[in-house]
Structures are given as C-alpha cells and as structure tokens.
Amino acid sequence: MSLITVVGWAVTVITGIGLIGYGIYKATKSKPNTKFITPPYVPPKLVPKPKVISKVIEVVSPTAATALKLTKAVIDVLPQPCPPPTHKDWNDVSDELKKLAKALGMVGVLNYLLSKVDIIKKYKNLKNHHHIVLKTGNFILGLNTMESARKNIRETLKNSTSKKDAINDERNMVWVHTAVHVHMHTIAYKTSIVLLFNRDLYLQKEGKQKIISRLSTLKEFLKKMDDFFF
C-alpha cells in the first residue's frame, strides 16, 4: 500500500470522526434543559367532618341544651297522631234524621249546625233548656211572626199546663247541648218555626191538635239532632 493511500484513509477517518463529534455537540447544545424542578407546595384542603360524626359525638356526650335539641328533633320527625275531628259531616247524618229535617223544613238548620257545632269545645254549662217556639224576640215573615207563633202555643196549652206562662210548658222545651244551642237561633230556624206555627193556626179546625203534634215532632227532631252531635 502506498503512502498516498494511507494518508487518504487517515484523512477520511479523521473527517468522519470530526463530523460525528460535531453532530454530538449540536445535539447536546439544542437539547432542552430537563433538570427536575420541584413544584410549589400546595397545602391540602381541610375536609369538614361529616354531620353524622358530629351527631354521634353529640349523642355520646350531650350537654343539657344539646340533649333537649335532639329530643325535639326526634319528636318532630316521628309520625304524630291525627287530631280528633271537631265537626260532624253531612255523610254522618242518618236517613231518619234527614227525613225528619226535610218534613219540618229544617234541612237548612241542620246543614248550618254541621258547619258550626264544635264537638270538642267545652262550655261552662253542658246543656241548655231550649224553647222550641222562642220565648223572646221577634221575627217577621209576611203575616207570620214569632209573636203569632207564641200566641198559638199559649192559646193551645194554657188550659193544660202548670206553668204560669204556657210558653214555658215542657211540650215547648227541650234540653240540648250548649254547643248546639249557641248556634240555634238563626234566620233559618226562625223561618221554619213561624211557618210551622202560622198565624192563628189555633183557630183553625184541628189547629190545636196540629200545634201539639208539631211540637212533639220538633222535640223528637231536636233530641235526635243533639244526640247525633254528642
């Protein structure tokens, strides 16, 4: 091998090594800085205690105030009994009572009392003595008045009563609960009374018998109605 050939090979090898070294240098210089950077410290979030845990703690060691609060909370969530009804309903009325009310023109009276009579409310006096044909006060409906109705009672019963005033005769009186009586003297009731004991009925043929019969039927109705409520 000649000297020229050896020199040529040497130059070629040196050039190749140089190129490789240059390539490594460039690659190293352009490589990004991969040095590890510690991230900033972020404190952990505080997690609130579950409510269940706090309740358990309160139950385990309650103070007097906490115990009272817990007792009230338990009572509030427990099912409570339904309060007793304070009024009767039309669907509760018996057919017999409905029939009597219709015959006497007292359906409006019964219907009104259903909306007013409080069967729970307490009164000083349990019952009152009610005059079927009212003892006092007046009511006018055409020719028929409460005064003329009272005259029918007095003229019919005056010879068969021990009372000084026949309007106080037991045939014209009935015991009813105060809760019923306080709502009894309505326009509807007074209208029925003056129509049942219309003007000068006692003068008509068999008028007095009609008056006594109607008083008896009214007394039966009012007793049954009072029993219905109580």
Side-chain angles (χ1 to χ4, degrees), residues 153-208:
I153 302 303
R154 290 184 171 114
E155 292 296 328
T156 300
L157 303 181
K158 65 181 181 180
N159 297 323
S160 59
T161 183
S162 59
K163 302 293 182 181
K164 185 177 180 180
D165 186 350
I167 203 72
N168 296 323
D169 187 89
E170 282 303 313
R171 285 166 287 184
N172 188 46
M173 304 290 293
V174 61
W175 285 101
V176 294
H177 280 81
T178 304
V180 174
H181 193 233
V182 294
H183 300 293
M184 191 83 96
H185 297 188
T186 61
I187 292 176
Y189 181 82
K190 293 173 183 178
T191 298
S192 297
I193 292 299
V194 299
L195 290 177
L196 286 168
F197 302 96
N198 53 293
R199 187 182 184 90
D200 295 333
L201 176 60
Y202 74 98
L203 295 175
Q204 298 176 16
K205 184 180 180 180
E206 299 182 353
K208 291 183 178 181

Side-chain angles (χ1 to χ4, degrees), residues 21-132:
Y22 180 74
I24 293 172
Y25 168 76
K26 292 292 289 184
T28 304
K29 189 175 181 181
S30 62
K31 186 176 181 180
N33 186 8
T34 56
K35 184 178 179 181
F36 177 76
I37 300 174
T38 304
Y41 174 75
V42 178
K45 291 184 179 179
L46 294 176
V47 179
K49 291 182 179 180
K51 291 184 179 179
V52 175
I53 295 176
S54 63
K55 287 296 181 183
V56 171
I57 293 171
E58 290 178 3
V59 171
V60 172
S61 57
T63 62
T66 304
L68 184 61
K69 186 188 294 184
L70 288 173
T71 302
K72 184 178 183 303
V74 170
I75 292 173
D76 289 342
V77 299
L78 287 176
Q80 300 298 313
C82 294
T86 58
H87 295 78
K88 290 292 186 76
D89 186 81
W90 183 259
N91 294 326
D92 300 324
V93 182
S94 67
D95 291 339
E96 181 183 10
L97 188 56
K98 288 178 182 177
K99 185 177 180 181
L100 274 172
K102 186 175 181 180
L104 294 168
M106 291 276 182
V107 173
V109 174
L110 178 55
N111 194 48
Y112 179 78
L113 291 175
L114 284 169
S115 69
K116 291 294 182 181
V117 175
D118 188 332
I119 60 177
I120 302 297
K121 187 176 180 179
K122 303 297 182 184
Y123 290 86
K124 182 178 180 181
N125 297 314
L126 181 63
K127 289 189 174 185
N128 291 155
H129 218 182
H130 171 66
H131 288 81
I132 297 172

